[in-house]
Amino acid sequence: MPRLPADTLAARRAEILAAARTAFAKFGFEGATVRELERETGRSRGAIFHHFPDKEALFLALAEQDAANTAEVVSNGGLIAAMRRLPNLDPGWLGVNLEVARRLRTDPTFRADWQRRIDAITRSAQQRLAAGQAAGTVREDLPVATLVTFLRLVYDGLAVHLAAGAPDPDLEAVLDLVEQTVRKDGQR
Amino acid sequence: MPRLPADTLAARRAEILAAARTAFAKFGFEGATVRELERETGRSRGAIFHHFPDKEALFLALAEQDAANTAEVVSNGGLIAAMRRLPNLDPGWLGVNLEVARRLRTDPTFRADWQRRIDAITRSAQQRLAAGQAAGTVREDLPVATLVTFLRLVYDGLAVHLAAGAPDPDLEAVLDLVEQTVRKDGQR
Amino acid sequence: MPRLPADTLAARRAEILAAARTAFAKFGFEGATVRELERETGRSRGAIFHHFPDKEALFLALAEQDAANTAEVVSNGGLIAAMRRLPNLDPGWLGVNLEVARRLRTDPTFRADWQRRIDAITRSAQQRLAAGQAAGTVREDLPVATLVTFLRLVYDGLAVHLAAGAPDPDLEAVLDLVEQTVRKDGQR
Amino acid sequence: MPRLPADTLAARRAEILAAARTAFAKFGFEGATVRELERETGRSRGAIFHHFPDKEALFLALAEQDAANTAEVVSNGGLIAAMRRLPNLDPGWLGVNLEVARRLRTDPTFRADWQRRIDAITRSAQQRLAAGQAAGTVREDLPVATLVTFLRLVYDGLAVHLAAGAPDPDLEAVLDLVEQTVRKDGQR
DNA sequence: ACTGGCGGGACGTCCCGTTGAT
DNA sequence: ATCAACGGGACGTCCCGCCAGT
């Protein structure tokens, strides 16, 4: 095939990404064999690796999509909003998230790159909380850094729970508890 | 063949397990090749597979050790005590536990087996909290189930954070915050 | 499509051939990937395969160029003149000719085709030597066939040496020796 | 299978080497696919790469065998004796020889390693010729270095010819000519 | 005339687990 | 109980050539 219009190409790329997400979520990075990627994308090795230099690049592209999404939600609605969104997400998204965490451990290059994204999200959350303190909605007896760390802990824990497939009936109540914990007027 | 006394045999098994833990922590499940396990254990392929049917069994045996340890700590000191213990553990191994999470999603057999361990820990935590409520140290405006879910979320989130290698200076403050959140007289 | 004038087309073909020669010389036949040929020719996959059915054809076309050149040199100046020319050629390409030797062993079709070219060179050399005998400059105690075989052996040996990159300071002296060996009045 | 006696292992290794020689001779280094090596050796990938770290090592082991053989023949009987031996050799031997020459070009590491062997053979040939000069059987009007270069050229040329499968009826006569060329009393 | 997306098939490597031999 | 020789499969990569499209 010849030079295709840019949007067609982008669509093709997106298709492959979506299918790869499913595969990575189901089997993990190592477990998602190229053969499996072929099956899931419906395209050949040649096609896949025409669009991405290798499996790693495919994975990183997915991780970046996720990070960007999360960053936007956090920036718009804060970390708790991001938590409330988690259960409604494509379970594949969570699985890939899990894979990211796993790879952070063993791949220092990836870790360095990833840290920038985490930092961006953290900063964004801090700004929101500081603004909340100024507006009198967020408790002021603790530094925002501590509150953000707390929220990130809960966020990641929730992501793991959902990724592991645990259906949590208490979820709403727990998120309410978390929210109260950071509010100024959190009642008991 | 020189059937060894049962305790020697158990010791051998334990040696292999310990070495395997190191290897898994360093390289992850898939990254810890059998060759690496040989190097780390100082024993040959045959010896390893004599004591464990396959790599997976080795991994699960380790995961079970962990689950048992955690269960004991939770039973003695509660989930928050378990959290305070986490930073002292090998972060590499904490990361490996993420492999468990993925397996939970995709392997129903494993999930059923593992759920029993989680349930045990959950139940134990619930009992402690209920006792706390009776003793007037734990808030009573929320069901213990909600509190336990909350604590488990934080626990898992903390494990992920530590596994990812993020050194968190706020950690103590955050754990204090978590503790206050479940206490009856949590001050602001 | 804009069918180009025949000479433009031939020039394009020649360009590709020249670039391919460079690539083959640098990396050998198998080492010169089509991607590398693209890079070196500055043309796309499609363009290359538009002019040549496959990589093999490209290679053989180059080999035939060489054979023709050599045939002409031999015809004009004899095998020893051809030897004296060898050091000025691209050693890389000389090495690639070793690929021809292997192909000769294992591909009977190719061998039959190639033999014609060798025969032409051999015949031409024989004629020159016979003429030399008639003129009294070439020794007559041995049949020309033997002398030609001798010279071809040295020629090929020299090609291998140069291809292997051995810079031989003795070269001139050796070629003088070879020349004396076939001359009538070869002095000691 | 367990630890085998050393000689059994050596025999196994030798079997693999012999079969690999055939494959390399027929298809060249790159052309001798691992699948082909499996077929020819009658052993599995696992077995082959248990004895040799990779294809390269297998090839180098063969090349070293050849170099050692040649070195011994040259050391005992000189380069011309080595030439006379060439036509009687396993054609595979020659094919591998050809592959060595091809790889000298593109692999500098291999080249450096190989040069030592060539030097050893060259030195050995020089000593023989010097001794011949002292004994009055080798011509003294040319330095031994030149004579050795000459002989090596012919040797390599002959190897290529035979490897290419050219049946040379003149061979004996040519070798006689070569021998006369280096003898003191070479008659015309 | 030329492009490049793509198929699909090996490639060499390596890995896990079996098994016969100590 | 332990060892290592081995089978055999699958891995990610990459390569060549086709052909639909410009």
Side-chain angles (χ1 to χ4, degrees):
Chain A
M1 293 162 198
R3 162 144 312 176
L4 293 176
D7 55 348
T8 308
L9 266 186
R12 211 92 99 186
R13 209 184 116 100
E15 270 177 45
I16 293 175
L17 276 174
R21 180 180 295 281
T22 309
F24 283 134
K26 241 192 282 189
F27 304 109
F29 180 78
E30 292 94 347
T33 70
V34 174
R35 187 160 305 199
E36 179 61 28
L37 291 177
E38 282 185 278
R39 213 186 52 74
E40 188 76 48
T41 61
R43 306 213 170 254
S44 74
R45 275 166 158 66
I48 296 171
F49 291 115
H50 174 75
H51 290 279
F52 299 90
D54 54 24
K55 202 171 83 157
E56 172 113 0
L58 196 44
F59 177 75
L60 291 182
L62 287 173
E64 278 170 30
Q65 281 188 346
D66 292 2
N69 280 350
T70 301
E72 200 192 329
V73 173
V74 170
S75 156
N76 290 343
L79 269 167
I80 294 183
M83 291 181 210
R84 296 201 189 274
R85 163 176 163 272
L86 281 179
N88 306 322
L89 287 179
D90 168 15
W93 193 92
L94 291 164
V96 169
N97 238 22
L98 206 59
E99 280 303 307
V100 168
R102 286 185 53 229
R103 289 176 61 75
L104 282 174
R105 247 185 345 118
T106 44
D107 184 341
T109 311
F110 175 57
R111 167 121 110 233
D113 183 70
W114 197 252
Q115 193 59 46
R116 291 187 300 108
R117 302 168 189 286
I118 304 263
D119 288 348
I121 292 175
T122 302
R123 231 173 297 119
S124 158
Q126 281 177 336
Q127 284 166 8
R128 283 190 60 88
L129 284 175
Q133 284 183 334
T137 56
V138 171
R139 65 194 288 180
E140 287 167 307
D141 59 337
L142 288 174
V144 283
T146 302
L147 294 178
V148 168
T149 303
F150 168 69
L151 291 176
R152 285 182 48 216
L153 246 50
V154 179
Y155 180 91
D156 285 345
L158 181 56
V160 170
H161 268 234
L162 293 170
D168 245 317
D170 289 323
L171 208 79
E172 275 308 312
V174 171
L175 291 184
D176 289 343
L177 168 59
V178 170
E179 189 155 21
Q180 279 172 22
T181 302
V182 300
R183 289 183 72 95
K184 181 161 215 147
D185 57 351
Q187 303 105 320
R188 288 299 172 102
Chain B
M1 280 300 133
R3 162 146 305 190
L4 294 172
D7 55 347
T8 307
L9 214 152
R12 210 89 101 190
R13 209 185 117 100
E15 269 177 46
I16 293 176
L17 275 174
R21 183 183 291 274
T22 307
F24 284 137
K26 240 189 285 186
F27 304 108
F29 180 76
E30 352 259 347
T33 68
V34 176
R35 183 162 306 200
E36 177 62 28
L37 293 179
E38 286 183 280
R39 213 186 53 74
E40 186 77 46
T41 60
R43 300 197 182 271
S44 81
R45 218 171 197 66
I48 295 170
F49 287 123
H50 177 73
H51 290 281
F52 299 90
D54 54 22
K55 203 169 82 162
E56 169 132 354
L58 201 41
F59 175 75
L60 292 182
L62 288 169
E64 280 172 27
Q65 282 188 349
D66 276 21
N69 282 346
T70 301
E72 200 190 330
V73 173
V74 169
S75 156
N76 289 343
L79 266 166
I80 293 180
M83 289 181 210
R84 297 197 188 274
R85 184 183 70 119
L86 279 179
N88 305 322
L89 299 184
D90 176 3
W93 179 258
L94 283 175
V96 174
N97 269 318
L98 291 172
E99 322 249 7
V100 170
R102 189 186 73 226
R103 217 170 286 263
L104 283 172
R105 261 191 71 70
T106 50
D107 182 342
T109 313
F110 172 63
R111 182 202 191 85
D113 181 70
W114 199 252
Q115 193 61 47
R116 289 187 299 106
R117 302 169 192 285
I118 299 207
D119 288 348
I121 292 174
T122 303
R123 227 174 300 118
S124 158
Q126 282 178 336
Q127 284 167 9
R128 280 191 59 88
L129 284 174
Q133 285 183 335
T137 56
V138 170
R139 64 194 288 178
E140 289 167 304
D141 58 337
L142 289 173
V144 284
T146 301
L147 293 178
V148 167
T149 303
F150 168 68
L151 291 175
R152 284 184 48 221
L153 245 48
V154 177
Y155 181 91
D156 286 346
L158 181 55
V160 171
H161 269 233
L162 293 170
D168 244 318
D170 290 323
L171 208 82
E172 276 308 312
V174 171
L175 291 185
D176 289 345
L177 169 59
V178 170
E179 191 155 19
Q180 277 172 22
T181 301
V182 300
R183 289 180 74 96
K184 180 163 216 146
D185 56 352
Q187 305 104 317
R188 289 299 174 102
Chain C
M1 282 299 133
R3 160 148 305 191
L4 292 174
D7 56 346
T8 306
L9 216 151
R12 212 88 100 189
R13 208 184 117 102
E15 269 177 46
I16 293 176
L17 275 174
R21 183 184 291 274
T22 307
F24 284 137
K26 241 190 285 187
F27 304 108
F29 180 76
E30 351 260 347
T33 69
V34 175
R35 183 162 304 201
E36 176 62 28
L37 292 179
E38 287 184 278
R39 215 186 51 75
E40 186 77 47
T41 60
R43 303 201 176 269
S44 81
R45 217 173 199 65
I48 296 170
F49 287 125
H50 177 73
H51 290 281
F52 298 90
D54 55 23
K55 203 170 81 162
E56 169 132 353
L58 202 42
F59 175 73
L60 292 182
L62 288 170
E64 280 171 27
Q65 281 188 350
D66 277 21
N69 281 347
T70 301
E72 200 190 330
V73 173
V74 169
S75 157
N76 289 343
L79 268 167
I80 293 180
M83 290 181 210
R84 296 199 190 274
R85 186 183 70 119
L86 281 178
N88 305 323
L89 300 183
D90 177 2
W93 178 257
L94 284 175
V96 174
N97 270 316
L98 291 171
E99 321 249 8
V100 169
R102 189 187 75 224
R103 218 171 284 265
L104 284 171
R105 261 191 71 72
T106 50
D107 182 341
T109 311
F110 172 63
R111 183 204 191 83
D113 182 69
W114 199 254
Q115 193 62 46
R116 289 188 300 105
R117 302 169 191 285
I118 300 207
D119 288 347
I121 292 175
T122 303
R123 230 173 299 117
S124 158
Q126 282 178 335
Q127 283 166 10
R128 280 190 61 90
L129 284 175
Q133 283 183 335
T137 56
V138 171
R139 66 195 287 179
E140 288 167 307
D141 59 338
L142 289 173
V144 284
T146 302
L147 294 178
V148 167
T149 302
F150 168 69
L151 290 175
R152 284 183 48 220
L153 245 49
V154 177
Y155 180 92
D156 286 346
L158 181 56
V160 170
H161 269 233
L162 293 170
D168 244 317
D170 290 323
L171 209 83
E172 277 308 311
V174 170
L175 291 185
D176 289 343
L177 168 59
V178 171
E179 190 155 20
Q180 278 173 22
T181 301
V182 299
R183 288 182 74 97
K184 180 163 215 145
D185 58 351
Q187 305 104 317
R188 289 299 175 103
Chain D
M1 293 163 196
R3 160 141 315 171
L4 295 175
D7 55 348
T8 306
L9 265 187
R12 211 90 99 188
R13 212 184 114 100
E15 269 177 45
I16 293 175
L17 275 175
R21 178 181 294 284
T22 309
F24 283 135
K26 240 192 281 187
F27 302 109
F29 180 78
E30 291 94 350
T33 69
V34 174
R35 187 159 304 197
E36 177 63 28
L37 291 177
E38 283 185 279
R39 214 186 52 74
E40 187 78 47
T41 61
R43 304 209 174 260
S44 75
R45 273 167 159 67
I48 296 172
F49 291 116
H50 174 75
H51 291 280
F52 300 89
D54 53 23
K55 204 171 83 157
E56 172 112 1
L58 196 44
F59 177 75
L60 290 182
L62 286 174
E64 277 170 30
Q65 281 189 347
D66 293 0
N69 280 349
T70 300
E72 200 190 331
V73 173
V74 169
S75 158
N76 289 344
L79 269 167
I80 294 181
M83 292 181 209
R84 297 199 188 276
R85 162 176 164 272
L86 282 179
N88 307 322
L89 286 180
D90 169 14
W93 193 90
L94 292 164
V96 170
N97 238 21
L98 205 59
E99 280 303 305
V100 168
R102 285 185 53 229
R103 288 175 61 74
L104 282 174
R105 246 181 351 113
T106 44
D107 184 341
T109 312
F110 176 55
R111 166 121 112 233
D113 183 70
W114 197 251
Q115 193 59 46
R116 291 187 301 106
R117 301 169 188 286
I118 303 262
D119 289 346
I121 293 175
T122 302
R123 232 173 298 118
S124 159
Q126 280 178 335
Q127 284 166 7
R128 280 191 60 89
L129 284 175
Q133 284 183 335
T137 55
V138 170
R139 64 194 289 179
E140 286 167 306
D141 58 339
L142 289 174
V144 283
T146 302
L147 294 179
V148 167
T149 303
F150 168 70
L151 290 176
R152 284 182 49 216
L153 246 49
V154 178
Y155 179 92
D156 286 345
L158 180 56
V160 170
H161 267 233
L162 292 171
D168 246 316
D170 290 322
L171 208 80
E172 275 309 312
V174 171
L175 291 185
D176 289 343
L177 168 59
V178 171
E179 190 155 20
Q180 278 173 21
T181 301
V182 301
R183 289 182 73 94
K184 180 161 216 148
D185 57 351
Q187 303 105 321
R188 289 300 172 97

